[in-house]
Amino acid sequence: MKYIGKEMSRVDGVAKVTGRAKYAAEFQLNNTAYGYIVQGTIAKGAIRSIDTAEAERQPGVLKIYTHLNSLKSKEDGPAFTALQSEKIVFNGQPIALVVAETFEQARAAARLVKAEYEAEKHVTETEKAPAVEARSPKPRGNPQQAFENADVKIEAEYTIPIEHHNPMELHAAVASWDGDKLTIFDKTQGVYGVRDHLAKAFGIAPENVQVISPYVGGAFGSALDPHYYPFITAMAARDLKRPVKVGYTRRQMFTGHGYRPYTIQKVSIGASKDGRLQSIIHEAVGNTSTFQNFSENPNGFGRTLYECPNYDTPYRLAKTDLPTPTWMRAPGAVSGAFALESAIDELAYKLKMDPLEFRIKNYAEKDPETGKPFSSKALMECFREGAKKFGWEKRKLEPRSMRDGRWLVGWGMGIGTWPAMQIPATARVTYRADGTAHVGSATSDIGPGTYTVITIIAAEFLGVPPEKIKFELGDSKLPQAPVQGGSFTTASVGTAVHGAALAVKQKLFDLALKEANSPLAGSKIEDVEMVDNTLRLNTDASRSVSISELMKKNGLSEIAETFTSRPGPERQKYATQAHGAQFVEVKVDEDLGIIKVTRVVEATAVGRIMNPKTSHSQEMGGVVWGIGMALQEATEIDHRYGRMITTDLASYHVPVNLDVYEIETAFVEEEDKIVNPLGVKGMGELCMVGIPAAIANAVFHATGKRIRDLPITPDKLL
């Protein structure tokens, strides 16, 4: 491979650091008006009256939209739509949109909008909210009986607070109409999803909506689903007959796009005296809103992970008077891993076994859920390589047995797994006679390096240097692609680009064989490759055809091929998962309870690595987020008012440079042509999955205290 597997800097890197890359709110249209969202102040009830008179008299104000004068959406469904009725379903709900000539004028007038409410009793505590059954797989074996009969057992409860994504780029949209045709610049992970949402809401044809989102400044799931602001932005633009721009403030981000749900998990595990797992019962309750069920299946995490004959994962949703949660990096899996991998650690200690030895003893060679073989699984190699790099063999089993001066030292570990998914995706590849190429697909790039990895794939199979390829994404006029989420973009869109590139090669090969005395005569398509604007034999570079000359002879300036990739039928015979092992060192101040994550080694098996440079960056980012989840992140709610109160980056804590020490990432590559022709598995979610549990396990090893309630803050250790 000439480009795949080699380090390459981001093709969009210079544009991003110089400001040439435009994000949603940065698009400037002539005569743009600015909207500012006014939020309600109760958690449940109705608006009795709303007074906009004083606000409307302010300089520059064009119009104020409320439920009394807003367009009603034609889209059915449980998702929240703003300004539709007087009903209030969460604190911070938008109750008005003030549109003015400038942002400052809109913001100033918004403060003068007054509302009176008929408040109802609300419930925002997950523990007290009414719960409904969520879909759960059938139990495997007889978990309850096996647990009761087990020689050694543990039962423990773990809680994870609400957490928010907080990407650098705030959500925003700029909408403009030309008759019945809408163009909207939006921060989104899926332009087709926003397109279809707005087409239904306004009752127009989907092809009359163009959604543009070329750059996204971080999302992590916060922009997977369409939120309420694109509709009200487009509504105001249509009514005022001029472009309108609306963006969230940082505080509005906390109620405007969802969050990781509050989760309560009870884990009951039984094992034999020799350390063989007999039963796992992993119960979970997660909060959702009263008007829409959101399910992330946190307790399904371990069903494919350990060889355990009896397994049950009952799951319920607690209906709270809060906004609907949404997907947040490694959704479900990282929450479930914190509970299960902590409980596995607890059981290992009860058995007086090394936690790594215990995991190896219960290693699943095939999928225990289906009995299918894994298409590839190098987790054992991850154990070996990660433990060797970390120096795990020097670990003392007893808690509080390792010190560094005044610091207690703890070593912990965890496992991560994530499904190796592929979703249907379409890409168009245009090869030009001058040896350049254009690639287009309506995927997104929320930061992992999609511009770069797709360029690498196209360069590899078209034989064109990366600098001669232009990859275009983030526009609903491009061929359809799935949202960027779930760690399936490279597997899906990359495979589509691979297929389109092969179709271009096939067309050129067919033309070459028609030539008299063709140097490629007698060869097959798999015998040739495209390299530097030539079509040549793999085994004999002298037998080649100039692509430029071949196209010129046939009157072609370019060849364009569109290809839709789909998961292959062979995948159905296998379990397709990515795996990783995380080893963590913490140091804890015995007097103050301060925790430092001083060293992390993460060994990951995700098939073939496309670009080691951005892949290692992805892994490190997942580790940093895992540190935040374990030690810092929590959205606090004042339950008296049902109001989220840590709604800024001063009170909602995330890791900064001072919190991050040594992170070493290693890849164990797998040869896997079952998952997709490229052999790639997703890594963006996986790299975070086991980290919070590994940190919690290390904290126990350091202190002897088992903290089951995230985040692990000093007050919980003192």
Side-chain angles (χ1 to χ4, degrees), residues 214-409:
Y215 294 97
V216 177
F220 320 113
S222 70
L224 274 174
D225 295 322
H227 299 301
Y228 67 74
Y229 68 92
F231 171 71
I232 61 174
T233 304
M235 174 201 68
R238 190 179 195 180
D239 183 55
L240 295 172
K241 296 180 172 54
R242 60 187 289 190
V244 172
K245 180 184 295 187
V246 175
Y248 287 164
T249 64
R250 178 61 66 182
R251 289 188 183 277
Q252 288 168 349
M253 294 281 282
F254 281 80
T255 52
H257 63 59
Y259 49 86
R260 195 188 304 280
Y262 189 102
T263 312
I264 306 164
Q265 300 175 79
K266 180 183 176 184
V267 183
S268 306
I269 310 182
S272 58
K273 290 177 183 177
D274 65 351
R276 297 281 181 184
L277 288 170
Q278 300 300 311
S279 175
I280 297 177
I281 302 171
H282 187 169
E283 303 171 63
V285 177
N287 88 291
T288 188
S289 66
T290 56
F291 52 90
Q292 185 177 13
N293 286 347
F294 173 79
S295 171
E296 65 170 6
N297 188 29
N299 48 346
F301 161 78
R303 293 185 73 111
T304 68
L305 196 55
Y306 292 108
E307 189 61 59
C308 180
N310 304 284
Y311 211 119
D312 195 13
T313 51
Y315 181 32
R316 291 180 299 143
L317 300 177
K319 309 281 278 185
T320 55
D321 295 303
L322 291 167
T324 307
T326 194
W327 317 105
M328 187 167 171
R329 193 174 190 176
V334 70
S335 301
F338 167 64
L340 180 62
E341 288 298 282
S342 295
I344 288 287
D345 198 73
E346 295 197 40
L347 187 57
Y349 271 96
K350 199 161 186 178
L351 287 159
K352 295 182 171 54
M353 288 181 68
D354 176 84
L356 176 56
E357 179 191 344
F358 182 53
R359 287 172 170 85
I360 291 173
K361 195 177 191 74
N362 292 283
Y363 188 88
E365 294 289 351
K366 60 182 181 180
D367 180 10
E369 190 73 359
T370 63
K372 294 178 180 179
F374 289 100
S375 61
S376 59
K377 184 182 181 183
L379 179 57
M380 195 66 81
E381 289 81 354
C382 291
F383 284 157
R384 295 192 192 102
E385 185 165 338
K388 183 179 179 181
K389 286 179 178 291
F390 192 81
W392 187 262
E393 74 281 357
K394 299 174 185 175
R395 181 184 189 269
K396 297 177 182 178
L397 181 63
E398 298 78 17
R400 301 180 69 88
S401 60
M402 299 169 67
R403 298 187 72 98
D404 179 12
R406 59 185 286 221
W407 296 89
L408 298 169
V409 177

Side-chain angles (χ1 to χ4, degrees), residues 106 128 161 189 193 222 382 433 435 498 500 504 513 551 585 592 612 630 643 648 661 665:
K128 297 179 180 179
Q189 291 172 250
S222 70
C382 291
H498 168 260
V504 169
L513 291 185
M551 292 176 68
E585 175 185 86
L592 302 178
R643 181 182 303 155
D648 55 45
Y661 290 77
T665 64

